Amino acid sequence: MAQSTIASGAPREPGVGLLRNILRRKEAYLLLFPSFALVFIFNYYPAASALFHSVFEWNGANVQRFIGLGNFAAMLKDPTLMGSVANLVRLALFSLAVNLTFPLLAGALIFHLRDLRLAYVYRVLFVIPLVVPTMVVLGIWKSIYAPHIGLLNALLKVAGLGHMARPWLGDFKLALYAIMFIGFPWVAGMSTLIYLAGFQAIPSELLDAASIDGAGTWKRFWQVEIPLVMSQIKLIVILTVIGAMQNFSTVMVMTNGGPGTVTMVPGLWLYRNAMYYNKMGYACAIGTALFAITLTLTYLNMRYLRSSVEYTGI
Amino acid sequence: MSKTLKHDLPIHIFLIFAAILTFYPFFFMAMTSFKATPDFQHNFWGLPQWIQLSNYSDAWTRIRGYVINSLVVSTTSAAGVLCIGSISAFVFARFHFPGREVLFLMLLALLMIPGILTLVPAFLLVKNLGLMNTYGALILPYIAGGQIFAIFIMRSFFASLPEELFESARIDGAHTFHLYSKICLPLSKPILVTIAIMNILSTWNDYIWPLVTIADGRLWTISVGIVSFGSQYMGTESWGPMYAGYVLASLPLIVLFIFTMRYFIAGLTSGAIKA
């Protein structure tokens, strides 16, 4: 397929053919121009600018002074940033643990249903929450955690545990855990769909063979199904890590990093340094560091996490 | 009890329990959105005693502008992504020219660059271009960024179309543009719809970028608008209008979902293609 070209169908005349080819190629470049113009202006230029300005003291306008690795040195001495990194690690690890269990279990259970019609119903059901805008979901969770009339506090009162009621998002000790718990029970999401797609792609003769060999459900799950969805697991790990590194809108909307800075994450701290304190160079340095870490983790994941066992047929 | 049900029953119990936990907050939202404030205060868990439709009219007058802005921005961006992206994908899939692989890799490499890295310079760029407080501040970067993954997906789809179709059209004297518009696009409708939906979903949900580039509240998209709207009610006890606003903000995507369910699910799992 890759060999086919637009030119291949046209009759080739010696001499004119070359000129015609160049003209045809010109057409290709011309047609690609809009894509590349946009990408250079809005993606490549800002990325290059961020890397470049990470070694500058920069306010985005008139002040631009080269300070070498000064921003990175300042980052190491910035207690808020270091606290935010600790939060990021906790949030990322928790998110990983969640995404590797609850949706995997849900996907496996839906896959194991014998009634395929109902399996489809569950799949559609667990997609619906994804259609609700993220900010509406966060709004609902804010009302779950609300101090006086929140659902969680109301529920505790009903259960006779009223003394445990508190302003969850304003609690120094619990605010970060409250953020972690958003989305509970974590079964309605992309991850479930991705796992389910992985399970459904397993050739049925493999599962039948395992059953004929006397493997019970449990053994079949661990020794046949899980190795065959390793690619999906790997994908979820990458997506979760990248998501955790980048996403700061959740924290921003829920607690804005507070109370104090106990729920601060690096992305939000970057945003604040740029937008409130005008420290654009420092913000670019934080962005550069996050970029480098993301890239490293993605590489490690691709390099060291096993892909699905290849099934090549008989 | 049938054999199937006997086998499935424990699974159903677990999944239904998970579904109840997942959906109860949404159910609570929908239920409370019809309650008047005193009804909400005294009848927190119960069904509405009477239907307070004015919650919806109040909320609608306040978020109408945000919904319209989001509709304009999301549909224009999706149209732009489809239009520009499909042309580039067509060129990458069906043309041979020097530098094709290099140019394609240059686009693909951008998938590795996180938005958090480009946020600050992109903000300054948009500011210097004089785009602040315009739809352009959102639409142009959305097209630029959205087309990358779209080109990636569309290229492999276009390349898988049988060459004979193009060949016979060429023999009939069809021009390149006809090959693109009369053969390539009509055969690719499902993938185009999927890409449009993915794109609308991501721009509809984007929060940070409109927050930094649009200061004028009249131009806010729904994500920014609904957060501001919600926070005005959070401290009060009139959650009826707040939840009515949340329901209204969700409706456009829900309608889109109902009409394009199949593509929607395909789009959400298409992340798996990346692997």
Side-chain angles (χ1 to χ4, degrees):
Chain A
M1 177 58 254
Q3 271 74 43
S4 73
T5 76
I6 293 290
S8 71
R12 283 173 199 276
E13 297 153 36
V16 191
L18 181 69
L19 183 69
R20 194 174 274 175
N21 252 341
I22 291 169
L23 282 174
R24 284 219 173 83
R25 283 168 184 173
K26 199 187 260 168
E27 189 186 22
Y29 300 122
L30 268 172
L31 289 172
L32 287 178
F33 181 76
S35 277
F36 278 88
L38 280 171
V39 155
F40 270 99
I41 296 170
F42 290 106
N43 300 78
Y44 270 109
Y45 166 72
S49 171
L51 297 177
F52 176 75
H53 285 106
S54 68
V55 289
F56 282 86
E57 185 188 339
W58 185 38
N59 68 356
N62 52 345
V63 178
Q64 184 170 333
R65 194 168 61 89
F66 180 75
I67 51 168
L69 295 177
N71 283 327
F72 295 95
M75 277 163 64
L76 294 173
K77 288 189 203 124
D78 179 345
T80 310
L81 182 70
M82 288 302 120
S84 77
V85 170
N87 287 339
L88 173 66
V89 171
R90 278 183 224 153
L91 288 167
L93 288 178
F94 186 83
S95 179
L96 263 181
V98 158
N99 274 296
L100 291 175
T101 50
F102 290 79
L104 181 66
L105 183 65
L109 287 176
I110 296 174
F111 173 63
H112 276 262
L113 282 173
R114 289 213 180 130
D115 190 330
L116 297 178
R117 206 170 31 89
L118 284 176
Y120 182 76
V121 171
Y122 281 118
R123 192 174 74 151
V124 173
L125 206 61
F126 285 158
V127 173
I128 293 171
L130 282 175
V131 182
V132 180
T134 317
M135 289 305 142
V136 169
V137 173
L138 293 182
I140 295 174
W141 277 90
K142 254 186 171 170
S143 51
I144 290 177
Y145 291 137
H148 301 296
I149 45 171
L151 272 103
L152 187 52
N153 286 340
L155 194 66
L156 286 170
K157 270 173 208 149
V158 170
L161 296 166
H163 62 280
M164 286 174 70
R166 65 195 70 212
W168 299 93
L169 292 170
D171 189 296
F172 275 86
K173 283 217 180 74
L174 295 175
L176 193 68
Y177 296 103
I179 287 173
M180 287 176 180
F181 252 77
I182 292 172
F184 178 83
W186 306 289
V187 292
M190 290 256 287
S191 308
T192 303
L193 282 178
I194 291 174
Y195 287 128
L196 183 58
F199 285 124
Q200 284 170 340
I202 299 176
S204 57
E205 56 267 36
L206 263 185
L207 298 174
D208 294 343
S211 297
I212 291 166
D213 286 349
T217 310
W218 195 241
K219 200 172 171 195
R220 199 183 84 173
F221 178 70
W222 282 111
Q223 302 196 343
V224 181
E225 291 167 19
I226 290 289
L228 285 165
V229 294
M230 270 315 283
S231 288
Q232 278 73 25
I233 292 178
K234 200 167 154 176
L235 175 72
I236 300 280
V237 170
I238 296 183
L239 291 179
T240 307
V241 169
I242 293 178
M245 299 288 288
Q246 287 215 58
N247 173 23
F248 64 92
S249 53
T250 303
V251 168
M252 190 171 179
V253 169
M254 296 303 285
T255 60
N256 202 14
T261 56
V262 295
T263 56
M264 183 60 74
V265 286
L268 183 57
W269 190 232
L270 177 159
Y271 174 89
R272 248 193 230 172
N273 271 287
M275 301 298 159
Y276 295 5
Y277 314 140
N278 234 3
K279 289 162 77 174
M280 304 287 182
Y282 189 58
C284 286
I286 298 177
T288 302
L290 287 172
F291 171 52
I293 295 168
T294 312
L295 218 55
T296 313
L297 290 177
T298 311
Y299 172 76
L300 289 178
N301 184 358
M302 307 239 258
R303 180 88 173 66
Y304 292 106
L305 216 60
R306 246 171 0 137
S307 279
S308 288
V309 173
E310 288 290 325
Y311 172 70
T312 46
I314 300 117
Chain B
M1 197 152 53
S2 77
K3 231 180 147 187
T4 307
L5 187 60
K6 205 171 175 181
H7 171 269
D8 286 356
L9 195 63
I11 305 181
H12 283 310
I13 292 172
F14 191 90
L15 287 175
I16 289 170
F17 182 65
I20 291 172
L21 283 177
T22 304
F23 283 98
Y24 185 76
F26 297 110
F27 169 73
F28 186 84
M29 162 177 82
M31 188 179 70
T32 309
S33 72
F34 291 108
K35 283 184 186 174
T37 304
D39 192 10
F40 172 66
Q41 285 164 329
H42 302 295
N43 174 29
F44 187 81
W45 299 106
L47 291 169
Q49 301 289 315
W50 68 91
I51 302 289
Q52 182 87 351
L53 277 179
S54 67
N55 287 345
Y56 276 87
S57 49
D58 291 353
W60 179 241
T61 53
R62 302 187 57 183
I63 67 161
R64 184 178 49 205
Y66 310 141
V67 174
I68 292 169
N69 290 333
S70 269
L71 284 174
V72 172
V73 169
S74 287
T75 51
T76 316
S77 303
V81 163
L82 284 186
C83 194
I84 294 177
S86 67
I87 292 173
S88 295
F90 179 70
V91 171
F92 279 123
R94 320 277 337 176
F95 280 52
H96 261 242
F97 52 94
R100 186 177 75 156
E101 300 307 318
V102 176
L103 287 173
F104 187 64
L105 278 179
M106 277 174 66
L107 281 186
L108 268 197
L110 286 171
L111 288 174
M112 292 304 296
I113 294 183
I116 192 114
L117 176 69
T118 54
L119 177 69
V120 173
F123 159 72
L124 292 169
L125 173 73
V126 162
K127 199 170 155 187
N128 294 335
L129 290 175
L131 288 172
M132 294 288 277
N133 284 320
T134 64
Y135 285 149
L138 302 175
I139 292 168
L140 291 173
Y142 283 164
I143 296 176
Q147 64 171 344
I148 299 166
F149 191 52
I151 291 173
F152 179 56
I153 304 239
M154 285 192 277
R155 187 195 77 138
S156 47
F157 191 86
F158 293 170
S160 72
L161 297 173
E163 172 62 16
E164 294 80 45
L165 288 173
F166 293 91
E167 194 64 44
S168 55
R170 249 182 249 119
I171 291 166
D172 292 343
H175 186 260
T176 310
F177 181 73
H178 279 251
L179 301 179
Y180 163 77
S181 65
K182 294 275 154 56
I183 300 177
C184 199
L185 290 189
L187 287 172
S188 314
K189 257 185 207 150
I191 199 96
L192 298 179
V193 175
T194 303
I195 287 168
I197 289 169
M198 283 164 67
N199 212 267
I200 289 171
L201 202 61
S202 79
T203 54
W204 196 273
N205 280 325
D206 192 26
Y207 178 72
I208 302 294
W209 185 247
L211 186 71
V212 298
T213 55
I214 310 286
D216 183 349
R218 286 168 303 175
L219 286 175
W220 275 350
T221 57
I222 190 67
S223 281
V224 177
I226 202 72
V227 170
S228 152
F229 169 86
S231 63
Q232 287 160 24
Y233 289 98
M234 207 57 233
T236 74
E237 297 201 348
S238 51
W239 282 16
M242 176 179 83
Y243 278 147
Y246 287 171
V247 171
L248 289 171
S250 312
L251 278 183
L253 288 186
I254 290 174
V255 170
L256 182 71
F257 173 72
I258 290 168
F259 284 107
T260 58
M261 201 153 69
R262 198 156 53 89
Y263 303 113
F264 221 107
I265 295 176
L268 290 170
T269 39
S270 73
I273 298 167
K274 269 195 215 169

